[in-house]
């Protein structure tokens, strides 16, 4: 076939049709993808700038996960401190109850009997009265014939009062003698004269102040054990800020911006508390007050750290929006404009 020759006017029309078809193809692609720059061929500068912005936005999105874990770790530590403070308050209540503990008085009731001690030896006229572990007090009666039980009881009461026994109170009714120790310690009456007059014996029915405090001390020590257990359970994602672990929260891609949070040891020993027998309750209460101050101070520190992390979390979210918006401005197509262009090209 011979070559077809077209004139300049036809050739111009052909080029116009080809240009229109190319622009329609470009416009349809923009409408289909929503992008005015979908490859480096479309606009190298916009494409690579948008790619850089999107990459940084993706990196910062990964950092958000780390920040969220940091927030929850701090929240777990804060909840632990609140619960430990409640246990410390309970321990303080137990200590105050122990401070008010009273002894249960020990009582010993005896009925004196008549006895003729007019010719008794000196040792036969003696008996001892002992309160708890205190030194025994020797009581010496007169060498007389105590013909009636009442006269014997009178002589015994008179001699005990004259000699004096610390911590012992006594009441007499006829031949009856009622001994009492308000301290709750044992009352022991022994000796030849006590046997002769029928007043020897021991009473251990009372409860001393130390014994009364012992039950409170057990409750107190149990609470310290609960503090130990709670401090080891306040972990999140394997990190326990109350058991000596530390936390580092990264804020940017190269880790040049971060927050290092030091952990503490908030078991009973770390708070300066230890098992007690309540020998010195005031000292135990002072330790509890110090522990409370320590807990409040650390709670404030963790609260400040939490505020920093949450602030950076909000900042990172906003920065991601800015970066993604910038990338979109460089690459996204205006669908209204492209639709109008397509209609115009179709008409052309």
């Amino acid at each position: 076939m011979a070559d077809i020759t077209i004139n300049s006017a036809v050739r111009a029309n052909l080029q116009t049709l080809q240009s229109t078809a190319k622009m329609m193809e470009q416009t349809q692609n923009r409408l289909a993808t929503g992008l005015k720059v979908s490859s480096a061929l479309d606009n190298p500068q916009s494409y690579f700038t948008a790619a850089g912005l999107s990459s940084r936005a993706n990196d910062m999105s990964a950092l958000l996960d780390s920040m969220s874990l940091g927030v929850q770790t701090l929240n777990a530590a804060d909840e632990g401190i609140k619960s430990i403070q409640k246990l410390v308050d309970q321990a303080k209540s137990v200590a105050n109850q122990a401070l008010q503990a009273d002894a249960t008085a020990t009582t010993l009731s005896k009925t004196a009997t008549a006895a003729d001690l007019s010719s008794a030896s000196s040792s036969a006229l003696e008996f001892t009265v002992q309160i708890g572990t205190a030194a025994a007090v020797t009581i010496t009666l007169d060498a007389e014939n105590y013909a009636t039980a009442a006269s014997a009881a009178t002589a015994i009461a008179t001699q005990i009062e004259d000699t004096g026994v610390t911590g012992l109170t006594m009441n007499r009714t006829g031949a009856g003698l009622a001994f009492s120790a308000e301290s709750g310690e044992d009352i022991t009456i022994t000796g030849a004269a006590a046997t002769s007059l029928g007043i020897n014996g021991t009473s251990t029915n009372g409860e001393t102040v130390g014994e009364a405090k012992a039950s409170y001390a057990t409750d107190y020590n149990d609470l310290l054990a609960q503090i130990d257990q709670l401090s080891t359970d306040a972990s999140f994602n394997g990190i326990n800020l109350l058991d000596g672990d530390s936390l580092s929260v990264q804020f940017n891609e190269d880790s040049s911006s971060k927050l290092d949070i030091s952990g503490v040891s908030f078991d009973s020993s770390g708070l300066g508390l230890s098992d007690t027998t309540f020998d010195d309750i005031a000292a135990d209460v002072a330790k509890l007050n110090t522990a409370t101050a320590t807990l409040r101070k650390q709670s404030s520190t963790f609260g400040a750290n939490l505020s920093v992390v949450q602030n950076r979390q909000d900042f990172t979210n906003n920065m991601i929006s800015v970066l993604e918006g910038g990338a979109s401005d460089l690459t996204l197509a205006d669908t209204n404009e492209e639709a109008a262009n397509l209609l115009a090209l179709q008409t052309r």
Side-chain angles (χ1 to χ4, degrees):
M1 177 182 287
D3 292 337
I4 299 175
T5 302
I6 57 177
N7 59 32
S8 58
V10 173
R11 188 177 299 279
N13 288 335
L14 178 60
Q15 291 175 341
T16 300
L17 288 172
Q18 290 174 334
S19 176
T20 301
K22 183 178 180 180
M23 287 188 292
M24 286 186 64
E25 179 183 0
Q26 183 184 60
T27 302
Q28 288 172 332
N29 180 68
R30 289 178 176 177
L31 286 171
T33 62
L35 299 173
K36 66 180 179 182
V37 179
S38 56
S39 70
L41 298 176
D42 297 329
N43 187 323
Q45 183 175 355
S46 296
Y47 178 80
F48 287 113
T49 300
L53 295 175
S54 296
S55 295
R56 189 182 178 204
N58 290 334
D59 292 342
M60 296 187 81
S61 294
L63 290 173
L64 278 177
D65 294 335
S66 175
M67 292 181 204
S68 295
L69 291 176
V71 167
Q72 296 306 321
T73 302
L74 285 166
N75 280 332
D78 183 62
E79 290 300 323
I81 287 178
K82 290 177 182 176
S83 297
I84 290 175
Q85 181 61 65
K86 291 179 181 178
L87 291 174
V88 170
D89 290 340
Q90 291 176 24
K92 191 180 298 184
S93 175
V94 171
N96 287 329
Q97 289 177 330
L99 191 63
Q100 300 171 11
D102 292 325
T104 301
T106 303
T107 59
L108 177 63
S109 297
K110 290 293 179 179
T111 300
T113 59
D116 185 3
L117 301 180
S118 57
S119 59
S121 64
S122 59
S123 60
L125 296 172
E126 294 177 348
F127 68 92
T128 61
V129 178
Q130 184 177 20
I131 305 300
T133 58
V137 177
T138 299
I139 309 296
T140 303
L141 296 174
D142 295 330
E144 293 182 10
N145 179 17
Y146 301 103
T148 64
S151 64
T154 300
I156 293 169
T158 300
Q159 287 301 110
I160 289 178
E161 290 174 351
D162 290 345
T163 304
V165 179
T166 303
L168 180 72
T169 57
M170 179 180 52
N171 290 313
R172 182 183 66 82
T173 304
L177 292 168
F179 303 96
S180 176
E182 295 297 328
S183 64
E185 296 179 289
D186 299 346
I187 300 174
T188 303
I189 300 177
T190 60
T195 301
S196 299
L197 298 173
I199 63 168
N200 62 308
T202 300
S203 176
T204 59
N205 296 326
E207 180 183 53
T208 66
V209 173
E211 291 169 339
K213 291 178 180 178
S215 61
Y216 291 115
T218 299
D219 294 339
Y220 180 93
N221 296 335
D222 288 343
L223 286 171
L224 296 192
Q226 289 300 315
I227 290 175
D228 292 339
Q229 294 177 23
L230 197 154
S231 66
T232 60
D233 292 338
S235 64
F236 179 84
N237 196 36
I239 298 177
N240 189 345
L241 293 175
L242 301 185
D243 196 29
D245 295 339
S246 296
L247 174 67
S248 182
V249 183
Q250 309 297 325
F251 292 144
N252 63 3
E253 305 91 315
D254 61 2
S255 300
S256 61
S257 178
K258 62 181 180 177
L259 176 64
D260 292 324
I261 303 171
S262 299
V264 294
S265 294
F266 271 3
D267 56 3
S268 58
S269 177
L271 291 171
L273 305 175
S274 58
D275 287 354
T276 185
T277 57
F278 282 146
D279 290 334
D280 188 351
I281 299 178
D284 292 319
V285 172
K287 291 178 182 178
L288 290 168
N289 289 334
T290 300
T292 295
T294 300
L295 288 167
R296 289 174 179 172
K297 181 179 179 181
Q298 191 59 47
S299 179
S300 176
T301 299
F302 282 155
N305 292 332
L306 179 60
S307 295
V308 170
V309 176
Q310 289 177 326
N311 182 55
R312 288 305 298 254
Q313 208 174 18
D314 294 339
F315 169 78
T316 301
N317 272 318
N318 293 334
M319 278 299 298
I320 290 173
S321 297
V322 170
L323 293 169
E324 290 177 342
S328 297
D329 290 342
L330 292 172
T331 59
L332 292 182
D334 185 338
T335 54
N336 291 326
E337 180 182 350
E338 298 303 331
N341 290 338
L342 180 61
L343 181 60
L345 290 170
Q346 288 173 338
T347 303
R348 183 184 299 178

